[in-house]
Amino acid sequence: MGVYLICWKQYFIKFKSWILIFTLGMLAMRIYFYINPVEDEVQGIAVGVCAEDEKGEELLEKLESVEGIFRFQDYQNEEEMIRQIENGTLECGYVFPEGFYENILRGRTVRQITLYCSPASSAHKISYEVVFSELFEILSEDILRRYLEENYFLEGKELQEARERVLSLNRQYAGDGSTFHFVYETLEEKEAEKPENLNILRGLIGVIIFFMSLLGLGNCLDQRNLYQILPGKSGRIFRSGCIHAAVFGSIFIGGICIFLSGTDSGIFHEIKGLFIYALILEVYLRGLYLLVRKSTVLYGMLPALLLGCCLFSPVFIKTGRYLPGADWISFLFPVTYYLNFFLS
Protein backbone atom coordinates (compact mmCIF):
# COMPACT_ATOMS: atom_id res chain seq x y z
CA MET A 1 0.00 0.00 0.00
CA GLY A 2 2.90 2.31 0.80
CA VAL A 3 4.30 1.80 -2.71
CA TYR A 4 1.06 2.97 -4.33
CA LEU A 5 0.91 6.03 -2.07
CA ILE A 6 4.45 6.95 -3.08
CA CYS A 7 3.60 6.56 -6.78
CA TRP A 8 0.42 8.62 -6.43
CA LYS A 9 2.31 11.37 -4.61
CA GLN A 10 5.01 11.38 -7.28
CA TYR A 11 2.39 11.56 -10.06
CA PHE A 12 0.54 14.54 -8.57
CA ILE A 13 3.73 16.40 -7.68
CA LYS A 14 5.36 15.92 -11.09
CA PHE A 15 2.28 16.84 -13.13
CA LYS A 16 0.75 19.41 -10.79
CA SER A 17 1.05 22.14 -13.44
CA TRP A 18 -0.94 20.16 -16.03
CA ILE A 19 -3.52 19.17 -13.44
CA LEU A 20 -3.93 22.77 -12.31
CA ILE A 21 -4.26 24.03 -15.90
CA PHE A 22 -6.96 21.50 -16.86
CA THR A 23 -8.92 21.92 -13.63
CA LEU A 24 -8.87 25.73 -13.70
CA GLY A 25 -9.69 25.73 -17.41
CA MET A 26 -12.75 23.54 -16.88
CA LEU A 27 -13.80 25.65 -13.87
CA ALA A 28 -13.48 28.83 -15.94
CA MET A 29 -15.57 27.25 -18.70
CA ARG A 30 -18.21 26.23 -16.19
CA ILE A 31 -18.39 29.76 -14.76
CA TYR A 32 -18.56 31.28 -18.26
CA PHE A 33 -21.51 29.12 -19.33
CA TYR A 34 -23.22 29.79 -16.00
CA ILE A 35 -22.97 33.54 -16.57
CA ASN A 36 -23.72 33.28 -20.32
CA PRO A 37 -26.13 30.36 -20.72
CA VAL A 38 -26.52 28.94 -24.22
CA GLU A 39 -30.01 29.48 -25.61
CA ASP A 40 -31.80 26.26 -26.44
CA GLU A 41 -33.68 27.79 -29.33
CA VAL A 42 -31.68 28.77 -32.40
CA GLN A 43 -32.90 32.08 -33.85
CA GLY A 44 -32.25 31.17 -37.47
CA ILE A 45 -32.30 33.24 -40.66
CA ALA A 46 -35.20 35.72 -40.68
CA VAL A 47 -37.56 35.49 -43.67
CA GLY A 48 -40.68 37.62 -44.05
CA VAL A 49 -44.03 36.43 -45.36
CA CYS A 50 -46.90 38.69 -46.41
CA ALA A 51 -50.10 36.71 -47.07
CA GLU A 52 -53.29 38.34 -48.37
CA ASP A 53 -55.78 35.44 -48.27
CA GLU A 54 -56.65 32.31 -46.27
CA LYS A 55 -54.45 29.97 -48.29
CA GLY A 56 -51.50 32.28 -47.76
CA GLU A 57 -52.17 32.26 -44.03
CA GLU A 58 -52.36 28.46 -44.07
CA LEU A 59 -49.01 28.27 -45.86
CA LEU A 60 -47.53 30.73 -43.37
CA GLU A 61 -48.65 28.57 -40.44
CA LYS A 62 -46.92 25.54 -41.98
CA LEU A 63 -43.73 27.55 -42.61
CA GLU A 64 -43.68 28.83 -39.02
CA SER A 65 -43.83 25.26 -37.72
CA VAL A 66 -40.90 24.06 -39.84
CA GLU A 67 -37.77 23.27 -37.82
CA GLY A 68 -34.64 24.40 -39.61
CA ILE A 69 -32.31 27.31 -40.23
CA PHE A 70 -35.09 29.69 -41.28
CA ARG A 71 -37.42 31.70 -39.04
CA PHE A 72 -40.51 32.82 -40.98
CA GLN A 73 -42.25 35.99 -39.75
CA ASP A 74 -45.73 37.28 -40.58
CA TYR A 75 -46.08 40.79 -42.06
CA GLN A 76 -49.43 42.44 -42.74
CA ASN A 77 -47.88 45.32 -44.67
CA GLU A 78 -45.80 44.65 -47.77
CA GLU A 79 -44.01 48.02 -47.63
CA GLU A 80 -42.93 47.41 -44.03
CA MET A 81 -41.50 44.01 -44.98
CA ILE A 82 -39.55 45.58 -47.87
CA ARG A 83 -38.08 48.19 -45.48
CA GLN A 84 -36.98 45.40 -43.14
CA ILE A 85 -35.22 43.67 -46.05
CA GLU A 86 -33.51 46.91 -47.13
CA ASN A 87 -32.11 47.62 -43.65
CA GLY A 88 -30.87 44.04 -43.23
CA THR A 89 -33.32 42.83 -40.57
CA LEU A 90 -34.73 40.26 -43.01
CA GLU A 91 -32.74 38.24 -45.51
CA CYS A 92 -35.67 38.00 -47.92
CA GLY A 93 -39.46 38.14 -48.05
CA TYR A 94 -42.33 36.40 -49.88
CA VAL A 95 -45.63 38.00 -50.90
CA PHE A 96 -48.56 35.62 -51.48
CA PRO A 97 -51.23 37.78 -53.18
CA GLU A 98 -54.93 37.11 -53.04
CA GLY A 99 -55.96 34.27 -55.32
CA PHE A 100 -52.41 32.96 -55.91
CA TYR A 101 -53.42 29.46 -54.82
CA GLU A 102 -56.34 29.24 -57.24
CA ASN A 103 -54.19 30.56 -60.10
CA ILE A 104 -51.53 27.92 -59.47
CA LEU A 105 -54.24 25.26 -59.32
CA ARG A 106 -55.51 26.38 -62.73
CA GLY A 107 -52.02 26.07 -64.17
CA ARG A 108 -51.06 29.75 -64.09
CA THR A 109 -47.72 29.32 -62.33
CA VAL A 110 -45.87 32.40 -63.66
CA ARG A 111 -45.44 35.42 -61.33
CA GLN A 112 -47.97 34.24 -58.77
CA ILE A 113 -45.60 34.76 -55.81
CA THR A 114 -43.30 37.78 -55.39
CA LEU A 115 -39.90 37.40 -53.75
CA TYR A 116 -37.91 40.33 -52.38
CA CYS A 117 -34.30 39.75 -51.37
CA SER A 118 -31.28 41.70 -50.20
CA PRO A 119 -28.55 42.13 -52.87
CA ALA A 120 -25.91 41.22 -50.28
CA SER A 121 -27.56 37.93 -49.31
CA SER A 122 -28.03 34.60 -51.05
CA ALA A 123 -30.17 32.97 -48.33
CA HIS A 124 -33.26 33.29 -50.54
CA LYS A 125 -31.83 30.64 -52.88
CA ILE A 126 -32.00 28.09 -50.05
CA SER A 127 -35.39 29.25 -48.79
CA TYR A 128 -36.93 28.32 -52.17
CA GLU A 129 -36.78 24.65 -51.19
CA VAL A 130 -38.58 25.13 -47.88
CA VAL A 131 -41.36 27.29 -49.29
CA PHE A 132 -41.89 25.07 -52.36
CA SER A 133 -42.01 21.86 -50.33
CA GLU A 134 -44.70 23.25 -47.99
CA LEU A 135 -46.65 24.72 -50.90
CA PHE A 136 -46.48 21.43 -52.80
CA GLU A 137 -47.83 19.59 -49.76
CA ILE A 138 -50.87 21.87 -49.73
CA LEU A 139 -51.38 21.78 -53.49
CA SER A 140 -50.77 18.12 -54.26
CA GLU A 141 -54.12 16.74 -53.10
CA ASP A 142 -56.15 19.48 -54.81
CA ILE A 143 -54.19 19.09 -58.06
CA LEU A 144 -54.78 15.34 -58.12
CA ARG A 145 -58.47 15.71 -57.28
CA ARG A 146 -58.96 18.39 -59.94
CA TYR A 147 -57.18 16.25 -62.51
CA LEU A 148 -59.35 13.23 -61.76
CA GLU A 149 -62.53 15.30 -61.85
CA GLU A 150 -61.65 16.95 -65.18
CA ASN A 151 -60.95 13.54 -66.73
CA TYR A 152 -64.08 11.98 -65.20
CA PHE A 153 -62.04 9.33 -63.40
CA LEU A 154 -64.12 9.68 -60.24
CA GLU A 155 -67.41 8.97 -61.99
CA GLY A 156 -68.75 5.47 -62.22
CA LYS A 157 -66.41 4.29 -59.47
CA GLU A 158 -63.54 3.95 -61.92
CA LEU A 159 -60.96 4.30 -59.16
CA GLN A 160 -58.76 1.48 -60.46
CA GLU A 161 -58.56 3.11 -63.87
CA ALA A 162 -57.73 6.44 -62.23
CA ARG A 163 -54.99 4.81 -60.21
CA GLU A 164 -53.43 3.20 -63.28
CA ARG A 165 -53.57 6.52 -65.15
CA VAL A 166 -51.88 8.40 -62.32
CA LEU A 167 -49.17 5.78 -62.04
CA SER A 168 -48.52 5.90 -65.77
CA LEU A 169 -48.19 9.69 -65.63
CA ASN A 170 -45.85 9.38 -62.70
CA ARG A 171 -43.62 6.99 -64.66
CA GLN A 172 -43.72 9.31 -67.67
CA TYR A 173 -42.81 12.51 -65.84
CA ALA A 174 -40.26 10.83 -63.58
CA GLY A 175 -38.61 9.27 -66.63
CA ASP A 176 -38.18 12.43 -68.71
CA GLY A 177 -37.14 14.58 -65.74
CA SER A 178 -39.92 17.16 -66.15
CA THR A 179 -41.03 16.93 -62.52
CA PHE A 180 -40.01 15.59 -59.13
CA HIS A 181 -39.97 11.90 -58.35
CA PHE A 182 -40.67 10.92 -54.75
CA VAL A 183 -39.64 7.46 -53.53
CA TYR A 184 -41.14 6.22 -50.25
CA GLU A 185 -39.41 3.57 -48.16
CA THR A 186 -40.56 1.81 -45.03
CA LEU A 187 -38.37 1.15 -42.00
CA GLU A 188 -38.17 -2.48 -43.02
CA GLU A 189 -36.70 -1.50 -46.38
CA LYS A 190 -34.13 0.95 -45.06
CA GLU A 191 -33.22 1.66 -41.48
CA ALA A 192 -32.69 5.34 -40.81
CA GLU A 193 -29.38 6.39 -39.31
CA LYS A 194 -29.37 7.84 -35.84
CA PRO A 195 -28.24 11.45 -35.47
CA GLU A 196 -24.68 11.96 -34.29
CA ASN A 197 -25.70 13.52 -30.95
CA LEU A 198 -22.10 13.75 -29.67
CA ASN A 199 -21.00 15.32 -26.41
CA ILE A 200 -17.90 17.20 -27.55
CA LEU A 201 -17.02 18.32 -24.03
CA ARG A 202 -16.95 14.74 -22.74
CA GLY A 203 -14.89 13.77 -25.77
CA LEU A 204 -12.31 16.46 -24.99
CA ILE A 205 -12.18 15.36 -21.36
CA GLY A 206 -11.62 11.78 -22.54
CA VAL A 207 -8.69 12.98 -24.66
CA ILE A 208 -7.28 14.90 -21.67
CA ILE A 209 -7.48 11.76 -19.51
CA PHE A 210 -5.63 9.81 -22.20
CA PHE A 211 -3.01 12.57 -22.44
CA MET A 212 -2.43 12.64 -18.67
CA SER A 213 -2.11 8.84 -18.65
CA LEU A 214 0.53 8.98 -21.37
CA LEU A 215 2.47 11.56 -19.40
CA GLY A 216 2.37 9.22 -16.40
CA LEU A 217 3.59 6.36 -18.58
CA GLY A 218 6.46 8.58 -19.72
CA ASN A 219 7.43 9.08 -16.09
CA CYS A 220 7.33 5.30 -15.64
CA LEU A 221 9.64 4.80 -18.64
CA ASP A 222 12.08 7.35 -17.23
CA GLN A 223 12.48 5.12 -14.17
CA ARG A 224 12.77 1.83 -16.03
CA ASN A 225 16.45 1.42 -15.06
CA LEU A 226 15.59 2.06 -11.41
CA TYR A 227 12.96 -0.69 -11.40
CA GLN A 228 15.47 -3.17 -12.81
CA ILE A 229 18.02 -2.71 -10.00
CA LEU A 230 15.51 -2.94 -7.15
CA PRO A 231 15.73 -6.25 -5.26
CA GLY A 232 13.17 -9.03 -5.60
CA LYS A 233 9.69 -8.08 -6.67
CA SER A 234 10.07 -4.46 -5.65
CA GLY A 235 10.79 -3.34 -9.22
CA ARG A 236 7.63 -4.93 -10.62
CA ILE A 237 5.57 -3.56 -7.74
CA PHE A 238 6.86 -0.01 -8.26
CA ARG A 239 6.32 -0.27 -12.04
CA SER A 240 2.78 -1.53 -11.54
CA GLY A 241 2.11 1.18 -8.96
CA CYS A 242 3.41 3.85 -11.31
CA ILE A 243 1.06 2.70 -14.09
CA HIS A 244 -1.85 2.53 -11.62
CA ALA A 245 -1.09 6.07 -10.50
CA ALA A 246 -0.95 7.28 -14.11
CA VAL A 247 -4.32 5.72 -14.93
CA PHE A 248 -6.34 6.44 -11.81
CA GLY A 249 -4.71 9.82 -11.27
CA SER A 250 -5.82 10.93 -14.74
CA ILE A 251 -9.25 9.34 -14.21
CA PHE A 252 -9.57 11.25 -10.93
CA ILE A 253 -8.71 14.56 -12.61
CA GLY A 254 -11.03 13.76 -15.51
CA GLY A 255 -13.86 12.97 -13.10
CA ILE A 256 -13.41 16.37 -11.47
CA CYS A 257 -13.52 18.02 -14.91
CA ILE A 258 -16.71 16.13 -15.79
CA PHE A 259 -18.30 17.19 -12.51
CA LEU A 260 -17.34 20.83 -13.17
CA SER A 261 -18.68 20.64 -16.74
CA GLY A 262 -22.13 19.75 -15.44
CA THR A 263 -22.90 16.72 -17.61
CA ASP A 264 -26.40 15.32 -17.16
CA SER A 265 -25.90 11.56 -17.61
CA GLY A 266 -26.16 10.83 -13.90
CA ILE A 267 -23.33 10.44 -11.40
CA PHE A 268 -23.44 6.63 -11.22
CA HIS A 269 -23.48 6.32 -15.01
CA GLU A 270 -20.48 8.66 -15.23
CA ILE A 271 -18.59 6.68 -12.57
CA LYS A 272 -19.32 3.42 -14.40
CA GLY A 273 -18.03 4.90 -17.66
CA LEU A 274 -14.85 6.19 -15.98
CA PHE A 275 -14.23 2.81 -14.33
CA ILE A 276 -14.48 1.02 -17.69
CA TYR A 277 -12.18 3.65 -19.19
CA ALA A 278 -9.66 3.04 -16.38
CA LEU A 279 -9.57 -0.70 -17.11
CA ILE A 280 -9.04 -0.06 -20.82
CA LEU A 281 -6.25 2.42 -20.09
CA GLU A 282 -4.55 -0.08 -17.77
CA VAL A 283 -4.34 -2.63 -20.58
CA TYR A 284 -3.37 0.02 -23.14
CA LEU A 285 -0.54 1.50 -21.07
CA ARG A 286 0.89 -1.90 -20.16
CA GLY A 287 0.92 -2.79 -23.85
CA LEU A 288 2.73 0.45 -24.69
CA TYR A 289 5.21 -0.20 -21.86
CA LEU A 290 6.18 -3.48 -23.53
CA LEU A 291 6.51 -1.91 -26.98
CA VAL A 292 8.10 1.45 -26.15
CA ARG A 293 11.42 1.44 -24.29
CA LYS A 294 12.22 5.15 -23.97
CA SER A 295 10.16 8.08 -22.79
CA THR A 296 11.51 10.26 -25.60
CA VAL A 297 9.93 7.89 -28.14
CA LEU A 298 6.62 8.04 -26.29
CA TYR A 299 6.69 11.85 -26.12
CA GLY A 300 7.39 11.89 -29.86
CA MET A 301 4.29 9.75 -30.40
CA LEU A 302 2.04 12.08 -28.34
CA PRO A 303 0.99 14.42 -31.22
CA ALA A 304 0.06 11.48 -33.45
CA LEU A 305 -1.86 9.71 -30.69
CA LEU A 306 -3.80 12.82 -29.64
CA LEU A 307 -4.51 13.85 -33.23
CA GLY A 308 -5.67 10.30 -34.01
CA CYS A 309 -8.09 10.45 -31.06
CA CYS A 310 -9.58 13.73 -32.25
CA LEU A 311 -9.87 12.59 -35.88
CA PHE A 312 -11.00 8.97 -35.61
CA SER A 313 -12.67 8.68 -32.19
CA PRO A 314 -16.21 10.15 -31.94
CA VAL A 315 -15.01 13.35 -30.25
CA PHE A 316 -16.24 15.85 -32.85
CA ILE A 317 -17.76 13.66 -35.59
CA LYS A 318 -18.25 9.99 -36.38
CA THR A 319 -15.61 9.71 -39.08
CA GLY A 320 -16.78 6.24 -40.06
CA ARG A 321 -19.91 7.72 -41.63
CA TYR A 322 -17.84 9.70 -44.11
CA LEU A 323 -14.64 7.66 -44.45
CA PRO A 324 -14.96 3.87 -44.97
CA GLY A 325 -12.73 1.90 -42.61
CA ALA A 326 -12.30 4.76 -40.13
CA ASP A 327 -14.27 2.86 -37.48
CA TRP A 328 -11.62 0.14 -37.42
CA ILE A 329 -8.86 2.73 -36.99
CA SER A 330 -10.76 4.39 -34.14
CA PHE A 331 -10.53 1.21 -32.04
CA LEU A 332 -6.76 1.77 -31.81
CA PHE A 333 -7.49 4.62 -29.38
CA PRO A 334 -8.97 4.00 -25.91
CA VAL A 335 -11.06 7.19 -26.08
CA THR A 336 -13.32 5.43 -28.59
CA TYR A 337 -14.40 2.76 -26.08
CA TYR A 338 -15.10 5.37 -23.42
CA LEU A 339 -17.26 7.54 -25.71
CA ASN A 340 -19.07 4.58 -27.26
CA PHE A 341 -20.23 3.63 -23.76
CA PHE A 342 -22.32 6.83 -23.69
CA LEU A 343 -23.45 6.54 -27.33
CA SER A 344 -24.88 3.04 -27.01
Side-chain angles (χ1 to χ4, degrees):
M1 188 64 179
V3 172
Y4 289 96
L5 292 175
I6 293 173
C7 293
W8 272 71
K9 182 179 179 181
Q10 183 189 52
Y11 175 84
F12 284 112
I13 291 176
K14 186 164 185 176
F15 302 111
K16 60 181 180 297
S17 298
W18 287 105
I19 294 172
L20 186 63
I21 290 172
F22 290 138
T23 307
L24 291 180
M26 195 60 60
L27 180 61
M29 186 183 298
R30 177 66 171 167
I31 294 173
Y32 173 80
F33 284 116
Y34 180 79
I35 298 174
N36 304 286
V38 179
E39 296 183 1
D40 294 334
E41 184 177 354
V42 179
Q43 293 298 322
I45 300 173
V47 177
V49 175
C50 181
E52 299 181 0
D53 63 5
E54 292 183 1
K55 281 296 182 181
E57 292 291 340
E58 180 183 348
L59 178 58
L60 174 62
E61 290 179 3
K62 293 181 70 64
L63 291 172
E64 288 176 336
S65 64
V66 172
E67 296 183 0
I69 63 173
F70 294 103
R71 176 169 48 90
F72 292 92
Q73 300 178 2
D74 183 18
Y75 283 85
Q76 300 298 324
N77 187 287
E78 182 177 345
E79 288 74 17
E80 174 62 22
M81 186 180 73
I82 294 174
R83 282 194 296 270
Q84 296 289 335
I85 295 172
E86 291 175 344
N87 63 31
T89 304
L90 296 176
E91 296 290 333
C92 59
Y94 290 84
V95 177
F96 299 100
E98 187 174 356
F100 82 98
Y101 185 88
E102 289 74 13
N103 288 332
I104 294 177
L105 202 59
R106 287 196 296 266
R108 297 177 56 190
T109 57
V110 180
R111 297 185 179 88
Q112 298 303 311
I113 300 173
T114 305
L115 170 64
Y116 297 95
C117 58
S118 171
S121 173
S122 59
H124 62 281
K125 297 180 180 179
I126 312 174
S127 67
Y128 291 160
E129 304 295 334
V130 180
V131 175
F132 173 79
S133 64
E134 298 301 325
L135 179 60
F136 179 82
E137 185 175 343
I138 297 176
L139 280 167
S140 58
E141 185 176 345
D142 289 337
I143 291 176
L144 179 59
R145 184 183 297 108
R146 186 181 184 89
Y147 173 81
L148 295 176
E149 289 175 352
E150 289 178 351
N151 290 274
Y152 307 105
F153 286 141
L154 295 182
E155 292 185 357
K157 297 182 180 181
E158 297 175 343
L159 295 179
Q160 183 62 30
E161 183 181 349
R163 179 179 180 275
E164 293 176 358
R165 178 61 175 162
V166 171
L167 290 177
S168 67
L169 289 173
N170 178 68
R171 287 191 294 270
Q172 173 187 338
Y173 293 135
D176 62 20
S178 61
T179 187
F180 292 94
H181 184 206
F182 295 91
V183 178
Y184 297 92
E185 294 179 333
T186 63
L187 290 177
E188 291 77 15
E189 294 171 343
K190 182 177 181 181
E191 184 178 358
E193 290 186 346
K194 295 181 179 179
E196 292 203 347
N197 193 24
L198 303 178
N199 188 325
I200 296 177
L201 186 57
R202 178 183 284 111
L204 291 176
I205 293 174
V207 174
I208 290 173
I209 293 174
F210 183 45
F211 174 67
M212 295 295 297
S213 299
L214 292 174
L215 290 180
L217 179 62
N219 178 54
C220 185
L221 290 171
D222 285 334
Q223 303 179 70
R224 180 189 287 269
N225 293 331
L226 176 62
Y227 300 149
Q228 292 176 350
I229 63 175
L230 289 175
K233 299 180 180 180
S234 300
R236 291 196 299 271
I237 294 174
F238 268 99
R239 182 189 65 192
S240 180
C242 191
I243 293 178
H244 282 315
V247 171
F248 287 96
S250 60
I251 289 290
F252 178 73
I253 300 303
I256 293 176
C257 291
I258 289 175
F259 174 77
L260 292 175
S261 68
T263 55
D264 55 356
S265 293
I267 185 170
F268 293 107
H269 195 60
E270 293 288 351
I271 292 175
K272 184 178 178 181
L274 289 172
F275 179 73
I276 294 174
Y277 195 20
L279 297 179
I280 295 171
L281 285 174
E282 278 275 347
V283 177
Y284 195 88
L285 293 190
R286 292 180 185 277
L288 279 179
Y289 186 84
L290 296 176
L291 297 174
V292 181
R293 294 293 177 176
K294 295 182 179 180
S295 60
T296 53
V297 176
L298 178 67
Y299 295 146
M301 295 169 57
L302 279 179
L305 290 173
L306 297 180
L307 183 61
C309 287
C310 295
L311 290 179
F312 295 103
S313 298
V315 176
F316 300 102
I317 61 172
K318 292 182 179 178
T319 314
R321 287 188 172 183
Y322 315 102
L323 183 63
D327 285 336
W328 293 101
I329 301 176
S330 69
F331 290 118
L332 297 175
F333 307 100
V335 183
T336 301
Y337 302 95
Y338 171 61
L339 297 179
N340 284 344
F341 173 77
F342 293 95
L343 293 176
S344 58

